[in-house]
């Protein structure tokens, strides 16, 4: 975890923004996307969307790149914060279509469920939540297997 991420997790968005801004200057697309998250939580949506759009533009050729997928998820969350679930859905669907190997793709499925629920599409939302839970459980199992193997090697 980097300093910006730690600050964001304790809701110190302005300070986290400074960290991400510094990293983004070095052409770090992931930092640029995370800067957009901070801006969205600070309700500076236009600036946030600029960060997401720039990240997507820089990484679009590499659609399976984690920065691209994460930017689409982050942009979708920003659309949800602005009460625009239709635009959010488009972002989550884009992330899902290219993020099959991304370990945090469950977040796109969960957020898709939130967007669908806000559109009163409860049955479809339920399917998205179910997929998010299944992927999250799989991630925990894989992490547990890795930790068990590491313990076995140590011990």
């Amino acid at each position: 975890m980097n300093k910006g991420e730690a600050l964001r997790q304790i809701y110190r968005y302005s300070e986290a923004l400074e960290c991400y801004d510094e990293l983004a200057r070095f052409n770090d697309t992931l930092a640029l996307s995370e800067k957009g998250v901070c801006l969205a939580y600070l309700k500076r949506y236009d600036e946030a969307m600029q960060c997401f759009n720039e990240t997507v533009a820089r990484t679009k050729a590499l659609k399976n790149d984690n920065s691209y997928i994460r930017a689409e998820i982050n942009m979708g969350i920003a659309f949800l914060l602005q009460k625009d679930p239709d635009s959010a859905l488009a972002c989550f669907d884009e992330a899902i279509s290219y993020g099959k190997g991304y370990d945090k793709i469950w977040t796109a499925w969960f957020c898709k469920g939130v967007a669908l629920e806000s559109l009163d599409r409860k049955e479809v939302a339920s399917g998205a939540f179910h997929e998010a839970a299944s992927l999250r459980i799989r991630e925990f199992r894989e992490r547990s297997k890795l930790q068990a193997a590491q313990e076995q090697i140590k011990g």
Side-chain angles (χ1 to χ4, degrees):
M1 177 183 308
N2 64 43
K3 183 177 178 182
E5 188 175 349
L7 288 166
R8 195 181 81 211
Q9 288 186 358
I10 58 172
Y11 311 106
R12 291 168 56 180
Y13 301 120
S14 294
E15 292 171 71
L17 182 60
E18 291 174 20
C19 294
Y20 289 127
D21 200 29
E22 183 72 28
L23 289 172
R25 289 186 194 141
F26 296 103
N27 205 26
D28 184 327
T29 54
L30 186 55
L32 185 59
S33 181
E34 296 305 309
K35 175 183 174 182
V37 171
C38 292
L39 289 164
Y41 282 125
L42 292 168
K43 298 182 180 184
R44 293 165 54 185
Y45 299 118
D46 290 340
E47 293 171 82
M49 290 303 176
Q50 285 177 332
C51 290
F52 301 137
N53 286 325
E54 188 174 336
T55 302
V56 166
R58 288 187 194 175
T59 58
K60 195 162 182 108
L62 312 166
K63 287 191 177 185
N64 62 347
D65 179 79
N66 287 348
S67 294
Y68 175 76
I69 297 159
R70 203 156 164 181
E72 287 288 350
I73 294 169
N74 290 342
M75 190 176 345
I77 292 169
F79 279 126
L80 282 177
L81 291 171
Q82 295 177 79
K83 310 278 190 259
D84 184 355
D86 290 311
S87 296
L89 268 177
C91 294
F92 301 137
D93 285 338
E94 180 75 2
I96 289 166
S97 71
Y98 290 99
K100 293 178 184 26
Y102 180 51
D103 64 342
K104 303 265 189 284
I105 198 62
W106 65 269
T107 57
W109 281 101
F110 179 82
C111 292
K112 178 177 180 169
V114 171
L116 288 164
E117 227 176 39
S118 72
L119 292 167
D120 207 30
R121 295 171 56 192
K122 307 244 185 268
E123 285 185 38
V124 183
S126 177
F129 288 133
H130 178 74
E131 183 65 19
S134 295
L135 290 167
R136 185 69 165 148
I137 289 167
R138 187 177 317 141
E139 179 188 346
F140 280 130
R141 285 186 182 144
E142 288 172 10
R143 190 178 309 149
S144 294
K145 286 178 189 175
L146 177 63
Q147 288 171 342
Q150 288 171 336
E151 290 298 317
Q152 202 170 30
I153 291 169
K154 287 180 186 176

